[in-house]
Amino acid sequence: MKLNYKNRISLRLIIASALIVALSFFIIYEVAHWTILFNIDQRLSEELKEHEGQISIIDGEVRFVHKGEWEEREHREIQFNPIYIEIVDKKGNSLDKSPNLGEVNLLFRPDYSDPNKGFNLSLKQGEVRQMQIALNNGDQGVGYLMIATSFSNQSLLLNNLKKILFLLFPLILFSLYLTLRYLAGKSIEPVLYITEKAKEITTKNINERIQLPKHQDEIKDLSMAINDLLDRLEKAMEREKQFTSDASHELRTPLSVLKGNFEVLIRKSREPQEYVSKITSGLKTIDHLNSVLDQLLSLARLQTESIDLHEVDLIYLVEEIVGSVKEHQNFRNISIENQLDQPVYVLSNENALSMVFQNLLENSLKYSQNDSDVQIRIKKSPSGVDVDICDHGIGIEPEHITKIFNPFFRGDSSILGRIKGAGLGLSIVKRLCDDLKIQIEVKSEKDNGTIFTLKFDESLIQS
Ligand code: ADP
């Protein structure tokens, strides 16, 4: 059965309430029942004791001592709760009884000779409660004294109580169900509003937000969490828009230049050197486009693929990368200063980590003079292990430090100095570092050099 939240919560509450109400009613009935029986049994017990003293046993014959007085009193007084008395011998044969019993006899039950515990039975006079005790002459049992009193009123009271409770039970449950359903509906209202509002928000009106409720409660927390999510989505959408426009600009500009150059070239016949020069510059443009596309592909792949982490020998990896970068960069000077006295193994990914080091090293070489060297420093830090990539190059303007990890951002000096690049290297580095849980920090001084620090937290270090 498919129930909505309002009905489901009301149903659960009503089941719990039904159990509680049923238990309460059961306790009420049992207490009333026990109290009535306790009182009547107490009275019967007292009557038994009183009448036991009025019985004489002479020569084995059992009889009431003051039967005449007693009968007279019975005729004189109107008795609302008459007491029925009967004496029987050991076998249960009636020896004597009170006149109010008439033809009827009380029920002899040899198993019930307890002066504290009675039992119910029906007589012609109505429902009665009876109690009995054994009568002894010395050690010898001679018969039983049986006493009973009317139980009709009490029985009626208990029956009425039972009927009222049975009638009240569904009525209480039904009214509880209606109240709970109403309250559940009221409590779910803010959630319905959030659902409706969230459905209305699309990419076209992503700037709209859910109105916060007045009270500081879980609903407010939920609304705030959804608003935060919308904030993040809006920012991501803006970044995406910016990225797409930057990417198309980055690809379209060299393509337009290439097209323009070729159009000029075919307008009339030219000297062979001119053809060679234009085609060479065209090839360079194609190389640049190729590298931009490669980096865009790497970024796109990083967004969808997850990185598999395993144990990596950090110092060995740094040495490997330095060797290969040197080979491609005319064997420029890259030095490694290892301040650790033993190998360090980190939880990482060789390919991803190589890409990070390669990008940072290539930037350091790219943005420093040909003769100045680049240094890698591996050292212990309070939080784990740090790797610094230091250069003495052109440095970064302070206002650019926060932007260098944005896709397609390029510092003025890189553009003015015609240093090759598309502004994608550091965004790839940042994404990889986030995935590898490496913190990256930058310190730079204009015209003095830059230090990129990769911080490997204690949790990444494998012992
Ligand atoms: P690209 O190098 O292709 O321009 P990056 O994303 O690698 O793109 O770098 C973004 C910008 O950060 C660069 O244009 C440059 O201005 C600055 N930058 C990065 N590394 C260095 C460095 N070692 N020294 C000086 N500037 C740097």
Side-chain angles (χ1 to χ4, degrees):
M1 191 172 40
K2 211 174 162 200
L3 289 176
N4 63 22
Y5 180 78
K6 189 169 91 172
N7 286 330
R8 206 168 57 234
I9 198 109
S10 325
L11 191 72
R12 278 185 199 157
L13 286 171
I14 208 68
I15 291 173
S17 313
L19 292 175
I20 294 168
V21 173
L23 185 70
S24 316
F25 280 10
F26 175 75
I27 292 172
I28 290 173
Y29 180 80
E30 281 303 311
V31 168
H33 188 232
W34 180 86
T35 312
I36 285 172
L37 289 189
F38 178 78
N39 281 330
I40 205 165
D41 282 357
Q42 213 172 20
R43 187 175 163 224
L44 283 175
S45 186
E46 278 162 15
E47 291 282 348
L48 261 182
K49 274 180 208 138
E50 194 185 317
H51 286 92
E52 192 185 9
Q54 297 170 357
I55 286 172
S56 71
I57 307 164
I58 302 161
D59 298 338
E61 204 181 318
V62 189
R63 59 177 69 244
F64 292 111
V65 181
H66 308 293
K67 190 170 177 191
E69 280 172 34
W70 179 52
E71 279 174 351
E72 220 175 86
R73 201 174 70 225
E74 225 172 56
H75 280 117
R76 242 185 8 245
E77 293 168 10
I78 303 163
Q79 296 199 319
F80 291 106
N81 262 333
I83 292 284
Y84 305 102
I85 306 173
E86 187 169 357
I87 303 171
V88 291
D89 66 13
K90 281 196 291 186
K91 293 199 173 117
N93 299 318
S94 182
L95 299 175
D96 205 352
K97 62 180 170 182
S98 59
N100 56 7
L101 272 172
E103 304 287 292
V104 177
N105 286 84
L106 294 178
L107 180 70
F108 172 58
R109 284 181 66 177
D111 54 322
Y112 248 89
S113 298
D114 183 344
N116 295 312
K117 198 163 176 243
F119 57 89
N120 290 2
L121 76 148
S122 275
L123 296 180
K124 205 173 86 190
Q125 287 83 342
E127 196 174 352
V128 296
R129 187 151 177 93
Q130 181 186 316
M131 206 178 256
Q132 68 189 39
I133 49 165
L135 296 171
N136 296 321
N137 188 12
D139 293 344
Q140 213 182 345
V142 287
Y144 292 89
L145 170 64
M146 308 192 292
I147 279 191
T149 188
S150 169
F151 193 68
S152 315
N153 289 344
Q154 291 85 336
S155 176
L156 189 71
L157 186 92
L158 285 175
N159 271 340
N160 283 347
L161 180 66
K162 203 188 275 179
K163 276 184 202 152
I164 288 170
L165 294 181
F166 267 108
L167 201 77
L168 271 181
F169 185 68
L171 282 178
I172 288 180
L173 284 195
F174 184 64
S175 41
L176 260 179
Y177 177 72
L178 292 182
T179 318
L180 291 175
R181 206 167 164 272
Y182 171 76
L183 289 178
K186 272 268 158 220
S187 351
I188 203 88
E189 259 172 22
V191 179
L192 295 179
Y193 159 73
I194 294 174
T195 315
E196 280 311 305
K197 189 71 197 170
K199 272 187 199 160
E200 276 168 32
I201 298 175
T202 63
T203 48
K204 304 245 165 16
N205 58 346
I206 189 96
N207 57 335
E208 282 187 27
R209 294 290 175 270
I210 287 161
Q211 209 181 324
L212 295 181
K214 274 190 269 147
H215 305 290
Q216 182 63 52
D217 53 16
E218 289 85 348
I219 299 290
K220 190 165 186 176
D221 290 347
L222 175 69
S223 312
M224 274 162 44
I226 294 178
N227 282 348
D228 285 350
L229 176 72
L230 287 171
D231 281 348
R232 290 198 296 276
L233 278 177
E234 191 180 356
K235 283 198 189 113
M237 273 175 66
E238 272 163 20
R239 276 201 303 274
E240 194 84 356
K241 243 196 239 164
Q242 187 62 41
F243 182 83
T244 318
S245 101
D246 288 346
S248 60
H249 172 79
E250 197 63 30
L251 295 174
R252 192 168 291 147
T253 313
L255 279 175
S256 314
V257 172
L258 202 60
K259 190 172 172 241
N261 281 348
F262 287 151
E263 277 170 354
V264 169
L265 212 57
I266 57 163
R267 222 169 269 159
K268 57 176 185 163
S269 70
R270 295 173 190 270
E271 292 299 313
Q273 302 95 294
E274 210 173 328
Y275 283 116
V276 172
S277 135
K278 291 282 178 202
I279 290 171
T280 312
S281 113
L283 284 174
K284 276 190 188 154
T285 309
I286 290 170
D287 281 346
H288 171 72
L289 281 171
N290 254 336
S291 99
V292 173
L293 282 174
D294 279 348
Q295 287 184 308
L296 279 175
L297 271 178
S298 306
L299 257 183
R301 233 178 267 137
L302 281 177
Q303 269 162 13
T304 51
E305 282 172 12
S306 61
I307 293 182
D308 150 54
L309 300 180
H310 47 260
E311 206 174 78
V312 176
D313 183 341
L314 186 64
I315 297 163
Y316 178 75
L317 184 101
V318 169
E319 284 167 353
E320 288 263 290
I321 301 289
V322 168
S324 105
V325 170
K326 265 182 173 175
E327 220 170 281
H328 290 98
Q329 300 279 342
N330 295 328
F331 293 95
R332 280 188 56 186
N333 194 15
I334 307 173
S335 60
I336 302 175
E337 183 192 323
N338 179 10
Q339 297 177 4
L340 305 178
D341 43 17
Q342 54 190 39
V344 192
Y345 294 93
V346 289
L347 185 67
S348 199
N349 178 289
E350 273 155 22
N351 294 337
L353 204 50
S354 305
M355 219 195 259
V356 170
F357 279 120
Q358 201 168 321
N359 269 296
L360 292 175
L361 271 177
E362 281 175 356
N363 272 358
S364 296
L365 294 170
K366 206 161 66 165
Y367 296 110
S368 45
Q369 316 303 326
N370 273 349
D371 48 353
S372 74
D373 61 348
V374 167
Q375 192 188 31
I376 295 187
R377 213 180 294 133
I378 306 169
K379 59 183 193 216
K380 252 206 125 20
S381 78
S383 59
V385 170
D386 285 0
V387 181
D388 293 338
I389 295 111
C390 326
D391 67 55
H392 306 284
I394 61 172
I396 304 169
E397 284 90 342
E399 67 270 24
H400 287 168
I401 294 272
T402 50
K403 298 182 188 154
I404 54 173
F405 293 105
N406 294 347
F408 298 110
F409 177 82
R410 301 210 70 208
D412 299 336
S413 13
S414 5
I415 303 165
L416 293 174
R418 297 269 170 261
I419 298 169
K420 267 196 335 183
L424 287 171
L426 285 185
S427 31
I428 293 175
V429 166
K430 181 74 177 89
R431 270 219 79 101
L432 287 168
C433 285
D434 286 349
D435 288 352
L436 297 173
K437 311 235 174 347
I438 303 168
Q439 217 184 313
I440 181 163
E441 284 177 1
V442 197
K443 276 195 207 117
S444 186
E445 218 177 292
K446 189 85 186 88
D447 300 324
N448 241 341
T450 305
I451 303 174
F452 279 91
T453 306
L454 298 177
K455 297 177 95 60
F456 293 84
D457 194 53
E458 203 71 72
S459 62
L460 294 176
I461 317 277
Q462 305 286 290
S463 48

